[in-house]
Amino acid sequence: MIAGNWKMNGLRSDALALARAVADGVKQAAWTDRQVLICPPATLVMAVADAVRGSALLVGGQDCHAKPSGAHTGDIAAEMLRDCGASHVIVGHSERRADHGESDALVRAKAEAAWRASLVPVICIGETLDEREAGDTLEVLATQLKGSIPPGATAWNTVVAYEPVWAIGTGKTPTTAEVAAAHGHIRKVLATLTSEAAGIRLLYGGSVKESNAAELLAAGDVDGALVGGASLKAPEFLAIAKAA
Ligand code: PEP
């Protein structure tokens, strides 16, 4: 899976052009061995889903509330994303964990909400630079996984994204050996949580671009990428999907 996280970027005209260009590329490539997903801001999910309908391009949200409805001003339920044409939703992105104080328990509740609405959550975990420098990376990942993945995760209903916080939007990436070590560890911890650990897709995220995609995607236990900045340019995003 190659997933694009547009973050808080995009107004209708340019966003729809971007989505259509990605959908055209996906259509032409006619891949049968990979999924391509774009996650626009909530304001654009419905328009983007309508614009790409009929192509194999998947559309997701960037966050959802844990509850299906109610007095939660400004929030969006997983059911609302589904209603707009989404099939996936990112939960626990480090920017939400940092900007909105989201805990592992809340991320887990959001993943359960995604399942309730028949969405596939892309559950994000990752260590900060301080945690890496203190040698705590693997422990932090294990704690986040155990806290954020609800019981019942399967290869079909869950995607996990490893995103070192220090690599997001910085142009810095871990070495392929470091990525493989983190992903191998994640797979092992997942195996303590579900019998389907081998089939759960583990995406690497953090400064993936056309020039480093093939190398990062070739690292052990990497089943795809979660792409931020480079997903805002159709040719570059499609080149990353091709590299997979
Ligand atoms: C992200 O926000 O999920 C991300 C990986 O961003 P970038 O690719 O820009 O580092």
Side-chain angles (χ1 to χ4, degrees), residues 71-167:
H72 304 288
T73 304
D75 279 311
I76 291 166
E79 283 79 358
M80 294 170 173
L81 290 171
R82 177 81 193 173
D83 189 44
C84 287
S87 56
H88 290 67
V89 61
I90 298 170
V91 295
H93 191 283
S94 64
E95 286 154 15
R96 293 214 54 93
R97 289 180 186 260
D99 295 355
H100 300 272
E102 294 195 359
S103 64
D104 290 334
L106 182 60
V107 173
R108 176 180 164 148
K110 290 182 177 202
E112 283 177 322
W115 292 349
R116 187 188 63 223
S118 302
L119 296 178
V120 174
V122 178
I123 304 173
C124 301
I125 57 168
E127 82 286 1
T128 63
L129 187 58
D130 283 353
E131 288 164 343
R132 173 159 286 263
E133 286 176 348
D136 293 339
T137 298
L138 299 185
E139 207 181 308
V140 167
L141 296 180
T143 303
Q144 288 184 340
L145 272 176
K146 288 177 190 161
S148 307
I149 310 278
T154 70
W156 303 108
N157 71 9
T158 301
V159 175
V160 173
Y162 167 55
E163 298 207 304
V165 178
W166 52 273

Side-chain angles (χ1 to χ4, degrees), residues 155 187 190-191 194-202 221 223:
R187 187 87 66 196
L190 274 178
T194 162
S195 59
E196 296 215 15
I200 292 185
R201 279 163 297 169
L202 305 185
D221 274 305
D223 306 310

Side-chain angles (χ1 to χ4, degrees), residues 5 7 93 95 124 163 167-171 205-208 226-230:
N5 172 15
K7 311 195 190 200
H93 191 283
E95 286 154 15
C124 301
E163 298 207 304
I168 295 178
T170 59
S207 296
V208 176
L226 179 52
V227 184

Side-chain angles (χ1 to χ4, degrees), residues 167-188:
I168 295 178
T170 59
K172 293 182 194 150
T173 56
T175 64
T176 49
E178 287 168 335
V179 172
H183 279 233
H185 180 68
I186 290 167
R187 187 87 66 196
K188 258 194 221 147

